[in-house]
Amino acid sequence: MENERYTEDLVMKEMRSYLGKNDWGYIYPKTVEKHNKITRCLQKAGGKPDICDIKDYTKGGTGKAQPEYIITFDEKLDTIIVVECKRSITYHRSEMLSQPKNYAVDGVLYYAKFLKEEYNVLAIAVSGTKKNNFKATTFYWQKGQEYYIEYKKATDIILEPLNYLKMVNGEKIQKQFSLEEIRETAIEMHNKLREVKITEKDKPIFIAGLLIALSSDSFSDNYANFNNFDIIIQNLNFAIITKLKDNNMKIDKVENIINSFKRIAGNPKLRQITLGQDNSILWYIKELECKIKPMMNYSESTIDVLSVFYHEFIKYSGGDGSGLGIVLTPQHITEFMVDIVEVNKNSKVVDICCGSGSFLVSAMVKMLKEANPNEYQQIKNEQLYGIELDNDLFTLAIANMIVRGDG
């Protein structure tokens, strides 16, 4: 039988971190020795009681406090992460959050309410032992505050420790490129879209629409708070329209993209799925924001993450995608061609059959590398041109360029 150790290993793998010293800080397992403030807080907490209301501080002190992990940061000394794990998702959270000994959420909040006397606390509860079947909930309890905040965007997703800091600071989450994670996400999304009867041709357009909407700060900041399907669709459409118009898209092109997305988003099976469940429209938005977009945001990456994601995604839609009229040029080819023609920051690049925009992205990456920040807008606004006849491929190209900051 799998035990809690499997859950702990899952957490470390998803955080891409190690026990002990990491580049950004330190991870303590179970106990924290020789760290006065943390030790003092955990001593007050003591062992988790069977029953304890979240506002009750009188039950602490019996036994030894042993959260699965305490995580500290070298450059953010006033903030820590506490992690509590349970083997089974059955014991993820109780109805009243009042059973800290038996439930992951209850337990991590129990520890957090003592630790927040000295720190800003990110409290993470994880239950389950498999990557395809676990639950995760994230809270932020600021130092000295009476109430905590739940970060719904991080539901059932485990981030790298520095990304939790970025999340609470309202910064863009970044993560290194991982073909394995891209492939896993693409396969899972493809299979789930098949379950709700989204057609093979519509699947990439659905993903493109979500990515365009997520490039809007307003939508990205607020989507987790929308509480019904119609409100989400309304805000998705508004975000897509606004983003396209902000990028000087002609009205007929905006209408083509919106009509395609509306048709897909009106799928009756998708509408019926409860928002908190896997396969709901919120699930797709959250997966893209927390798994794919962070790789696009990674400052050291020259990889066209979106094209790689589409390539993997489309491979499962009619074979290699050729049945959809979509054949994506591999990145090593686009980079090779950009080098051969000696693209530089002064070049003007035109692709008269641009597809999803892979050549344009590779050209833009090389041009921006040579340019200084004052030249970026000139390159993006006036030196990259793409033409595509197929409306669906045109939508993919628009999404690709917008999420890369071109427009």
Short mmCIF file of all heavy atoms in Angstrom, two decimals, residues 225-257:
data_model
loop_
_atom_site.label_atom_id
_atom_site.label_comp_id
_atom_site.label_asym_id
_atom_site.label_seq_id
_atom_site.Cartn_x
_atom_site.Cartn_y
_atom_site.Cartn_z
N ASN A 225 -12.21 33.99 -9.84
CA ASN A 225 -13.34 34.41 -9.01
C ASN A 225 -14.68 34.31 -9.72
O ASN A 225 -15.72 34.54 -9.10
CB ASN A 225 -13.12 35.86 -8.55
CG ASN A 225 -11.87 36.02 -7.71
OD1 ASN A 225 -11.58 35.18 -6.86
ND2 ASN A 225 -11.11 37.07 -7.96
N PHE A 226 -14.69 34.00 -11.01
CA PHE A 226 -15.95 33.88 -11.73
C PHE A 226 -16.66 32.59 -11.32
O PHE A 226 -16.04 31.53 -11.28
CB PHE A 226 -15.71 33.88 -13.24
CG PHE A 226 -15.02 35.12 -13.75
CD1 PHE A 226 -14.16 35.06 -14.83
CD2 PHE A 226 -15.23 36.35 -13.13
CE1 PHE A 226 -13.51 36.20 -15.29
CE2 PHE A 226 -14.59 37.49 -13.59
CZ PHE A 226 -13.72 37.41 -14.68
N ASN A 227 -17.95 32.69 -11.02
CA ASN A 227 -18.61 31.55 -10.39
C ASN A 227 -19.64 30.82 -11.26
O ASN A 227 -20.33 29.93 -10.76
CB ASN A 227 -19.28 31.99 -9.08
CG ASN A 227 -20.27 33.14 -9.30
OD1 ASN A 227 -20.65 33.42 -10.44
ND2 ASN A 227 -20.65 33.80 -8.22
N ASN A 228 -19.76 31.19 -12.54
CA ASN A 228 -20.59 30.37 -13.41
C ASN A 228 -20.11 30.44 -14.85
O ASN A 228 -19.36 31.35 -15.23
CB ASN A 228 -22.09 30.72 -13.30
CG ASN A 228 -22.43 32.07 -13.91
OD1 ASN A 228 -22.23 32.28 -15.10
ND2 ASN A 228 -22.96 32.97 -13.09
N PHE A 229 -20.54 29.48 -15.64
CA PHE A 229 -20.03 29.30 -16.99
C PHE A 229 -20.28 30.53 -17.86
O PHE A 229 -19.39 30.98 -18.58
CB PHE A 229 -20.70 28.06 -17.61
CG PHE A 229 -20.18 27.68 -18.96
CD1 PHE A 229 -19.09 26.85 -19.09
CD2 PHE A 229 -20.79 28.16 -20.11
CE1 PHE A 229 -18.61 26.49 -20.35
CE2 PHE A 229 -20.32 27.82 -21.37
CZ PHE A 229 -19.22 26.98 -21.49
N ASP A 230 -21.49 31.08 -17.80
CA ASP A 230 -21.83 32.21 -18.67
C ASP A 230 -20.97 33.44 -18.38
O ASP A 230 -20.57 34.17 -19.30
CB ASP A 230 -23.31 32.57 -18.52
CG ASP A 230 -24.23 31.53 -19.15
OD1 ASP A 230 -23.81 30.92 -20.15
OD2 ASP A 230 -25.33 31.32 -18.63
N ILE A 231 -20.67 33.67 -17.09
CA ILE A 231 -19.83 34.81 -16.73
C ILE A 231 -18.41 34.60 -17.27
O ILE A 231 -17.77 35.54 -17.77
CB ILE A 231 -19.81 35.00 -15.20
CG1 ILE A 231 -21.18 35.49 -14.72
CG2 ILE A 231 -18.72 35.99 -14.80
CD1 ILE A 231 -21.28 35.63 -13.22
N ILE A 232 -17.92 33.36 -17.19
CA ILE A 232 -16.58 33.07 -17.71
C ILE A 232 -16.54 33.31 -19.22
O ILE A 232 -15.62 33.97 -19.74
CB ILE A 232 -16.18 31.61 -17.40
CG1 ILE A 232 -15.98 31.44 -15.90
CG2 ILE A 232 -14.90 31.24 -18.15
CD1 ILE A 232 -15.79 30.02 -15.47
N ILE A 233 -17.52 32.80 -19.96
CA ILE A 233 -17.56 32.98 -21.41
C ILE A 233 -17.66 34.46 -21.77
O ILE A 233 -16.97 34.94 -22.68
CB ILE A 233 -18.73 32.20 -22.03
CG1 ILE A 233 -18.53 30.69 -21.84
CG2 ILE A 233 -18.89 32.52 -23.52
CD1 ILE A 233 -17.27 30.15 -22.48
N GLN A 234 -18.50 35.18 -21.06
CA GLN A 234 -18.66 36.61 -21.30
C GLN A 234 -17.32 37.34 -21.13
O GLN A 234 -16.93 38.17 -21.96
CB GLN A 234 -19.70 37.18 -20.35
CG GLN A 234 -19.93 38.68 -20.49
CD GLN A 234 -20.93 39.21 -19.47
OE1 GLN A 234 -21.70 38.44 -18.89
NE2 GLN A 234 -20.91 40.50 -19.24
N ASN A 235 -16.60 37.02 -20.07
CA ASN A 235 -15.32 37.67 -19.82
C ASN A 235 -14.23 37.19 -20.76
O ASN A 235 -13.33 37.97 -21.12
CB ASN A 235 -14.91 37.45 -18.35
CG ASN A 235 -15.64 38.39 -17.41
OD1 ASN A 235 -15.21 39.50 -17.17
ND2 ASN A 235 -16.76 37.92 -16.86
N LEU A 236 -14.28 35.92 -21.15
CA LEU A 236 -13.34 35.41 -22.15
C LEU A 236 -13.50 36.18 -23.46
O LEU A 236 -12.52 36.65 -24.05
CB LEU A 236 -13.57 33.92 -22.39
CG LEU A 236 -12.87 32.93 -21.47
CD1 LEU A 236 -13.42 31.53 -21.67
CD2 LEU A 236 -11.36 32.94 -21.74
N ASN A 237 -14.75 36.29 -23.92
CA ASN A 237 -15.00 37.00 -25.18
C ASN A 237 -14.54 38.46 -25.10
O ASN A 237 -13.93 38.98 -26.04
CB ASN A 237 -16.49 36.93 -25.54
CG ASN A 237 -16.91 35.55 -25.97
OD1 ASN A 237 -16.10 34.77 -26.49
ND2 ASN A 237 -18.18 35.23 -25.78
N PHE A 238 -14.86 39.09 -23.98
CA PHE A 238 -14.47 40.50 -23.82
C PHE A 238 -12.95 40.64 -23.83
O PHE A 238 -12.40 41.56 -24.46
CB PHE A 238 -15.04 41.05 -22.51
CG PHE A 238 -14.70 42.49 -22.28
CD1 PHE A 238 -15.38 43.50 -22.95
CD2 PHE A 238 -13.69 42.85 -21.39
CE1 PHE A 238 -15.06 44.85 -22.74
CE2 PHE A 238 -13.36 44.18 -21.17
CZ PHE A 238 -14.05 45.17 -21.86
N ALA A 239 -12.25 39.73 -23.14
CA ALA A 239 -10.79 39.80 -23.08
C ALA A 239 -10.17 39.57 -24.45
O ALA A 239 -9.21 40.26 -24.84
CB ALA A 239 -10.25 38.76 -22.09
N ILE A 240 -10.72 38.61 -25.21
CA ILE A 240 -10.19 38.33 -26.55
C ILE A 240 -10.40 39.54 -27.47
O ILE A 240 -9.48 39.98 -28.16
CB ILE A 240 -10.86 37.08 -27.15
CG1 ILE A 240 -10.46 35.83 -26.34
CG2 ILE A 240 -10.46 36.89 -28.61
CD1 ILE A 240 -11.27 34.59 -26.69
N ILE A 241 -11.63 40.07 -27.46
CA ILE A 241 -11.94 41.22 -28.31
C ILE A 241 -11.04 42.41 -27.96
O ILE A 241 -10.45 43.06 -28.83
CB ILE A 241 -13.43 41.62 -28.18
CG1 ILE A 241 -14.33 40.55 -28.80
CG2 ILE A 241 -13.69 42.97 -28.84
CD1 ILE A 241 -15.80 40.74 -28.50
N THR A 242 -10.93 42.69 -26.66
CA THR A 242 -10.13 43.83 -26.21
C THR A 242 -8.67 43.66 -26.61
O THR A 242 -8.03 44.60 -27.10
CB THR A 242 -10.24 44.00 -24.69
OG1 THR A 242 -11.61 44.19 -24.33
CG2 THR A 242 -9.43 45.19 -24.21
N LYS A 243 -8.15 42.46 -26.42
CA LYS A 243 -6.73 42.22 -26.73
C LYS A 243 -6.47 42.36 -28.23
O LYS A 243 -5.47 42.95 -28.64
CB LYS A 243 -6.33 40.82 -26.25
CG LYS A 243 -4.84 40.65 -26.09
CD LYS A 243 -4.32 41.48 -24.94
CE LYS A 243 -2.81 41.41 -24.85
NZ LYS A 243 -2.27 42.25 -23.77
N LEU A 244 -7.37 41.82 -29.04
CA LEU A 244 -7.19 41.91 -30.49
C LEU A 244 -7.30 43.35 -30.97
O LEU A 244 -6.51 43.79 -31.81
CB LEU A 244 -8.23 41.03 -31.20
CG LEU A 244 -8.10 39.52 -30.96
CD1 LEU A 244 -9.22 38.77 -31.68
CD2 LEU A 244 -6.74 39.00 -31.42
N LYS A 245 -8.26 44.09 -30.46
CA LYS A 245 -8.41 45.49 -30.86
C LYS A 245 -7.23 46.34 -30.38
O LYS A 245 -6.78 47.25 -31.09
CB LYS A 245 -9.72 46.07 -30.34
CG LYS A 245 -10.95 45.53 -31.07
CD LYS A 245 -12.24 46.19 -30.57
CE LYS A 245 -13.44 45.72 -31.39
NZ LYS A 245 -14.71 46.32 -30.90
N ASP A 246 -6.74 46.03 -29.18
CA ASP A 246 -5.58 46.76 -28.67
C ASP A 246 -4.36 46.56 -29.58
O ASP A 246 -3.45 47.39 -29.61
CB ASP A 246 -5.23 46.31 -27.25
CG ASP A 246 -6.21 46.86 -26.21
OD1 ASP A 246 -7.00 47.75 -26.57
OD2 ASP A 246 -6.17 46.39 -25.07
N ASN A 247 -4.34 45.42 -30.27
CA ASN A 247 -3.24 45.12 -31.18
C ASN A 247 -3.56 45.49 -32.62
O ASN A 247 -2.98 44.96 -33.56
CB ASN A 247 -2.87 43.64 -31.07
CG ASN A 247 -2.09 43.34 -29.81
OD1 ASN A 247 -0.88 43.56 -29.74
ND2 ASN A 247 -2.77 42.84 -28.79
N ASN A 248 -4.54 46.41 -32.76
CA ASN A 248 -4.89 46.98 -34.08
C ASN A 248 -5.36 45.93 -35.08
O ASN A 248 -5.12 46.04 -36.28
CB ASN A 248 -3.69 47.75 -34.66
CG ASN A 248 -3.27 48.91 -33.78
OD1 ASN A 248 -4.12 49.66 -33.29
ND2 ASN A 248 -1.98 49.05 -33.54
N MET A 249 -6.04 44.90 -34.59
CA MET A 249 -6.60 43.89 -35.47
C MET A 249 -7.83 44.45 -36.19
O MET A 249 -8.66 45.10 -35.57
CB MET A 249 -7.00 42.66 -34.63
CG MET A 249 -7.43 41.45 -35.45
SD MET A 249 -6.04 40.74 -36.30
CE MET A 249 -4.94 40.41 -34.93
N LYS A 250 -7.92 44.20 -37.48
CA LYS A 250 -9.07 44.66 -38.25
C LYS A 250 -10.34 43.98 -37.74
O LYS A 250 -10.32 42.81 -37.36
CB LYS A 250 -8.87 44.37 -39.74
CG LYS A 250 -7.77 45.20 -40.37
CD LYS A 250 -7.65 44.90 -41.85
CE LYS A 250 -6.55 45.77 -42.48
NZ LYS A 250 -6.39 45.47 -43.93
N ILE A 251 -11.45 44.72 -37.79
CA ILE A 251 -12.69 44.26 -37.18
C ILE A 251 -13.19 42.95 -37.77
O ILE A 251 -13.70 42.10 -37.05
CB ILE A 251 -13.79 45.35 -37.28
CG1 ILE A 251 -15.01 44.97 -36.44
CG2 ILE A 251 -14.16 45.62 -38.74
CD1 ILE A 251 -14.76 44.86 -34.98
N ASP A 252 -13.01 42.73 -39.09
CA ASP A 252 -13.48 41.48 -39.68
C ASP A 252 -12.67 40.29 -39.18
O ASP A 252 -13.21 39.19 -38.99
CB ASP A 252 -13.46 41.54 -41.21
CG ASP A 252 -12.06 41.79 -41.75
OD1 ASP A 252 -11.29 42.49 -41.09
OD2 ASP A 252 -11.76 41.29 -42.85
N LYS A 253 -11.38 40.51 -38.92
CA LYS A 253 -10.54 39.44 -38.39
C LYS A 253 -10.93 39.14 -36.94
O LYS A 253 -10.97 37.98 -36.51
CB LYS A 253 -9.06 39.83 -38.46
CG LYS A 253 -8.57 40.12 -39.86
CD LYS A 253 -8.69 38.92 -40.77
CE LYS A 253 -8.11 39.24 -42.14
NZ LYS A 253 -8.40 38.15 -43.12
N VAL A 254 -11.22 40.20 -36.19
CA VAL A 254 -11.66 40.01 -34.80
C VAL A 254 -12.95 39.19 -34.78
O VAL A 254 -13.09 38.24 -33.99
CB VAL A 254 -11.89 41.37 -34.11
CG1 VAL A 254 -12.51 41.18 -32.73
CG2 VAL A 254 -10.57 42.14 -33.98
N GLU A 255 -13.88 39.51 -35.64
CA GLU A 255 -15.16 38.80 -35.68
C GLU A 255 -14.96 37.34 -36.05
O GLU A 255 -15.63 36.45 -35.50
CB GLU A 255 -16.11 39.49 -36.66
CG GLU A 255 -16.62 40.84 -36.14
CD GLU A 255 -17.48 41.56 -37.16
OE1 GLU A 255 -17.54 41.09 -38.32
OE2 GLU A 255 -18.06 42.61 -36.80
N ASN A 256 -14.07 37.05 -37.00
CA ASN A 256 -13.81 35.66 -37.38
C ASN A 256 -13.30 34.85 -36.19
O ASN A 256 -13.75 33.72 -35.93
CB ASN A 256 -12.76 35.60 -38.51
CG ASN A 256 -13.34 35.95 -39.85
OD1 ASN A 256 -14.56 35.85 -40.06
ND2 ASN A 256 -12.49 36.35 -40.79
N ILE A 257 -12.36 35.42 -35.45
CA ILE A 257 -11.79 34.72 -34.31
C ILE A 257 -12.83 34.53 -33.21
O ILE A 257 -12.96 33.44 -32.64
CB ILE A 257 -10.55 35.48 -33.78
CG1 ILE A 257 -9.44 35.45 -34.84
CG2 ILE A 257 -10.06 34.89 -32.47
CD1 ILE A 257 -8.26 36.34 -34.52
#
